[in-house]
Each structure stands twice: as C-alpha cells, then as structure tokens.
Amino acid sequence: MTSNVTHNCSRTKQEVVRERLLKMFTFSLTFVRHGETQYNREKLLQGQGVDTLLSETGVQQAEAAGQYLKDIAFTKVFVSNLQRAVQTAEIILRNNSHCSGMEMVLEPLLRERGFGVAEGRHKEYLKNMANAAGQSCRDYTPPGGETLDQVKLRFKKFLKALFKQMLDEHLSSGPAASSGASASGDVAQGTAAVASNTPPRCSADDGLQGVLVHTLVVSHGAYIRVAIWHLVEDLNCALPAGAKMQQVFSPCPNTGISRFILTLSESESGPVLSAARCVFTNRKDHLENLADGE
C-alpha cells in the first residue's frame, strides 16, 4: 500500500514538471540599429526631435543587414516610428526570403532617447555640457532630455507587452507552438567549441538552433545600449563565454546587430522571464564589404 502511494506521488511530480515545461516558451530577440543618416555622419544628435531619412551609405548598410538576415523567418517585427528606423526595417524586410511584405508594428516605445536642447547640435556640445555639470556624457541629461532611467522604463514597458503577446499567441495554441529550446540550450555546443580550441562559428543564425519564433526590433543607438544594459545587469542575462563587458556595452554601430534568447513561463501574475542568454552584441560583419561601414 505504501509502495503504491509513493509511486503515485512520483508520477504526480513528473506531471507537474511536464505541465510547467509545456507552459514555457523560448524565442529570439534580435536588435538592429538604423542605418546611417547625414546627421550621424556629421556627428549631430538626432534624438526624437530630428526625424530624417537614411543617407546613401545608410541605405547600403540596411541592404547589407537585410542580406545578412535574409534567411531568418522573423515572426514579429517591431520598429521605432522615427523615419530612419522605419526605412531601415523596410529595406531589411524587402531583402528577407520569408518576410517580404510582412506588416511591421510601429512602436513609439522604441524611439531614440530624447536629448532635449542638444538635439540638432554636435556631440561636442553635449560633451561640453556634461563636463560643465561634472558628469560623464553618457549619464548626463540635457535640459528637456530623457534620463537613462526614463529610457529604461520605456524598454521595460515594451518587454512587458511583448512577453504577454508571446505567451498569449503561442502557449494558447498548445504545446506544438512552444519551442523546445531553452535560453541555455546552446551552452554545451559553446563549451565543446572552447574545449577543442575551435573558433566559434559566426553566422546570421547563431543561437537560433531549436528556436522557432523570432522577433526583430529596429531601433536606435542610445536606446539599444540601455536595452542591453537592462537585459544583462537587471535581468541577469547570461553572456557568451569569454565576452568582454567593454564590448557588450560598447556603442552600437549603424545597423549593428545584437541577439538574445529568452525563455518565458506563465504565472498567476503574468509572464515571467525564466532564462535569458546573450548570443552576441553589436555585430557588424555585414558591413565589411562596404567602402564606408561606419
């Protein structure tokens, strides 16, 4: 009799574990910064108040990013509603083998950091203001501008809505819609590469093995830097083996690409981030063949 009770309890635990796994969902989140604008070339701050299109070089960069990402079947595309980001996203999608004609979501929460009175002025103007205030240029907030915490709050709002949408759309469809990969799913592969002294593979689909749902976000340099900081520092996102923090948090180049693998689970209070892994940040391999890649 005791043996039967133990067996039943064991089976119940297995069922609970299985049920929890079925309520978990993994997807990729790929960030791309917009292509170069004339303001970028002249080192002028744009923020939110200066809304310009891409330069000729910026169009070439966006085309190169689109070619690089062309075989990734993005299921959702979220874009800042500023023109430079929208144009970049349109070019990327036009080059994509799976997403040509896909409708993208214009999201104000993804807009660049507001730089207030410094918008339209040279970066040296902001640097001089920061020096006068005794602060670093990154941490300084010009009059009328957004603080880093305010930018982070916007990103957190975007993530919260994204997480809910992901679980609502994919877990509600049943177990088949949920990816079987976890955010740490490629750890063994990465460890093996280090052990054998084999250089890690560097391709557009890095980190996507076993992941079925892919989200693309096209945004801005300062915004993406804050987003990466939040994912790594606040949400304890695991970094690639041997990654240097200086590189992880370095400024993102025009059309620089960063990728994270996120695993969500359901709870009574809503979606919970169960695991997060950074695959790479600020990648610019696709710009190598351009005459002027920066």
Side-chain angles (χ1 to χ4, degrees):
M1 186 71 176
T2 304
S3 175
N4 289 338
V5 171
T6 304
H7 174 73
N8 289 337
C9 288
S10 176
R11 186 180 62 175
T12 301
K13 289 179 180 178
Q14 291 174 351
E15 290 174 350
V16 169
V17 170
R18 187 180 298 111
E19 184 179 352
R20 286 178 179 172
L21 288 175
L22 290 177
K23 289 186 177 180
M24 296 180 73
F25 173 74
T26 297
F27 70 101
S28 70
L29 181 60
T30 299
F31 294 93
V32 179
R33 184 189 175 194
H34 64 80
E36 180 203 77
T37 66
Q38 192 60 36
Y39 272 71
N40 289 146
R41 179 172 287 274
E42 297 176 6
K43 300 187 184 304
L44 301 173
L45 291 166
Q46 296 168 102
Q48 300 179 12
V50 178
D51 192 10
T52 60
L53 293 171
L54 303 181
S55 65
E56 183 178 343
T57 295
V59 171
Q60 294 173 354
Q61 292 171 337
E63 293 280 359
Q67 281 295 308
Y68 187 75
L69 299 170
K70 67 177 182 179
D71 293 324
I72 299 176
F74 292 109
T75 48
K76 291 286 182 184
V77 179
F78 298 93
V79 185
S80 158
N81 61 352
L82 295 174
Q83 289 186 94
R84 55 194 184 272
V86 173
Q87 187 180 5
T88 301
E90 288 174 343
I91 294 172
I92 290 174
L93 292 181
R94 188 172 68 230
N95 279 275
N96 193 280
S97 303
H98 308 278
C99 307
S100 181
M102 172 182 284
E103 184 176 348
M104 54 189 178
V105 179
L106 300 186
E107 177 53 76
L109 290 173
L110 298 175
R111 290 163 70 97
E112 178 60 299
R113 179 186 181 187
F115 288 101
V117 299
E119 292 183 351
R121 295 178 178 267
H122 198 278
K123 289 183 177 179
E124 286 298 320
Y125 177 81
L126 179 63
K127 188 178 296 184
N128 292 336
M129 293 180 71
N131 288 338
Q135 298 180 11
S136 69
C137 193
R138 177 182 179 275
D139 295 331
Y140 175 71
T141 302
E146 279 185 296
T147 66
L148 293 177
D149 282 342
Q150 287 174 323
V151 179
K152 183 168 72 172
L153 180 60
R154 281 200 281 124
F155 179 59
K156 289 172 68 175
K157 288 180 178 178
F158 169 75
L159 274 188
K160 182 177 181 180
L162 175 64
F163 289 174
K164 183 178 186 305
Q165 183 175 359
M166 284 291 165
L167 288 188
D168 287 348
E169 291 185 1
H170 297 284
L171 283 190
S172 62
S173 300
S178 177
S179 167
S182 71
S184 57
D186 292 329
V187 170
Q189 179 181 349
T191 304
V194 172
S196 63
N197 294 320
T198 302
R201 185 169 64 93
C202 187
S203 65
D205 66 349
D206 282 346
L208 302 185
Q209 297 76 16
V211 181
L212 305 179
V213 176
H214 310 297
T215 299
L216 174 65
V217 168
V218 181
S219 186
H220 306 266
Y223 185 94
I224 290 175
R225 198 174 186 185
V226 170
I228 291 174
W229 187 273
H230 176 61
L231 286 165
V232 173
E233 291 291 319
D234 299 335
L235 301 184
N236 300 315
C237 179
L239 295 177
K244 297 180 179 179
M245 298 301 283
Q246 184 178 3
Q247 164 60 20
V248 172
F249 296 127
S250 64
C252 182
N254 287 117
T255 67
I257 304 172
S258 302
R259 176 169 299 146
F260 294 80
I261 307 299
L262 307 178
T263 297
L264 306 176
S265 59
E266 242 177 350
S267 73
E268 292 182 359
S269 59
V272 174
L273 182 64
S274 299
R277 179 170 62 89
C278 174
V279 183
F280 56 80
T281 62
N282 306 323
R283 181 176 287 184
K284 55 180 181 178
D285 300 14
H286 55 288
L287 300 178
E288 290 178 356
N289 295 328
L290 295 184
D292 185 2
E294 294 295 319

